[in-house]
Amino acid sequence: MNKHVLVCQTATWQISPYNTSAITGENATLACIVKLTNGENVQWMRVAGRQSMVSSLDSTLIISDKSDKSKYALTGTYNLTVTNVQTSDEGIYLCCVGATRKQASLQAVVLPTNLSTYWETSPTIGNSVNITCRATYGKPPPYLRIYKDNMDITHLAYYYTENIRSSGYGDAVASAALTLTSLDINKDIRCEVGYDGLYNVMNYTMNTNLSK
């Protein structure tokens, strides 16, 4: 088995890798913005199981597994683009400069089949009522954000998942109790679906439907 020896050099990390998601079949970009000072190579490594070198590439796009050439590309200043993301591409990726390694996870997602926002009971001025956002059958269940009149009120919501299948599909629910006032007449409530590094990929907007 070939061993890859990385020599430590000095470099400045301007943007370190962070957890990223991609809709299955689309491309994903794992950030790694590095300012090189001594001609170092930037090398990407993927961790899968107990193996830490499944595929790698450096600043000249040398890939250890030639069959992976169409899967990876370097974009910008050493960002790694993974094309046509599938479940098999999920895992931990390391951006390496010398002996320094910084990691991020890549997750392939399937968007929910349905997203809805609704009141648990009829909304009336002066009363507290729950506004609920539900995303059905997503893989994995997504994060949910709730906005009232473009103000983020997610911190008021209780978030949970349910109906989790062994396949990884499941439902996500966020519910927030709101005390409605006359200022809430004809306001929009918006729910957004997101994942790590992937924001507002689905949304649903409803009006408060309040009247004086």
Side-chain angles (χ1 to χ4, degrees):
M1 179 181 294
N2 293 330
K3 295 185 179 297
H4 297 255
V5 178
L6 302 177
V7 180
C8 184
Q9 299 286 348
T10 301
T12 301
W13 298 77
Q14 297 175 316
I15 298 180
S16 297
Y18 52 86
N19 294 344
T20 302
S21 305
I23 299 170
T24 300
E26 297 188 357
N27 298 344
T29 296
L30 294 159
C32 186
I33 305 297
V34 183
K35 182 179 180 180
L36 305 179
T37 56
N38 294 315
E40 312 93 327
N41 276 339
V42 176
Q43 187 178 53
W44 279 93
M45 302 166 62
R46 180 183 170 205
V47 178
R50 295 181 178 275
Q51 296 180 338
S52 62
M53 180 63 73
V54 174
S55 56
S56 67
L57 49 83
D58 62 18
S59 52
T60 58
L61 276 180
I62 298 173
I63 302 175
S64 59
D65 183 351
K66 293 182 179 179
S67 64
D68 286 337
K69 279 189 175 180
S70 63
K71 173 60 67 172
Y72 304 117
L74 286 178
T75 57
T77 311
Y78 310 115
N79 294 330
L80 177 68
T81 294
V82 184
T83 63
N84 188 25
V85 171
Q86 303 296 319
T87 301
S88 58
D89 297 316
E90 292 182 335
I92 300 298
Y93 289 75
L94 307 176
C95 185
C96 312
V97 180
T100 303
R101 303 179 178 185
K102 299 196 176 185
Q103 72 176 44
S105 67
L106 174 62
Q107 184 172 61
V109 304
V110 179
L111 296 181
T113 57
N114 186 64
L115 178 67
S116 60
T117 304
Y118 54 89
W119 299 108
E120 295 289 349
T121 58
S122 180
T124 55
I125 293 175
N127 292 328
S128 179
V129 60
N130 282 351
I131 183 72
T132 296
C133 174
R134 176 180 293 273
T136 304
Y137 204 65
K139 180 184 180 183
Y143 304 132
L144 299 174
R145 302 201 71 84
I146 301 177
Y147 296 83
K148 185 177 76 169
D149 198 29
N150 291 321
M151 178 180 296
D152 191 343
I153 60 170
T154 307
H155 64 285
L156 301 176
Y158 173 66
Y159 172 89
Y160 59 95
T161 60
E162 59 183 15
N163 300 323
I164 304 300
R165 288 77 162 177
S166 59
S167 60
Y169 285 86
D171 304 341
V173 183
S175 185
L178 302 179
T179 299
L180 301 172
T181 72
S182 59
L183 297 177
D184 295 315
I185 293 175
N186 199 35
K187 299 297 183 182
D188 285 336
I189 305 288
R190 184 175 75 257
C191 178
E192 295 182 356
V193 164
Y195 299 87
D196 285 338
L198 195 61
Y199 309 105
N200 194 19
V201 288
M202 291 179 69
N203 62 76
Y204 183 95
T205 301
M206 60 171 277
N207 192 272
T208 53
N209 292 321
L210 290 175
S211 58
K212 294 181 180 180

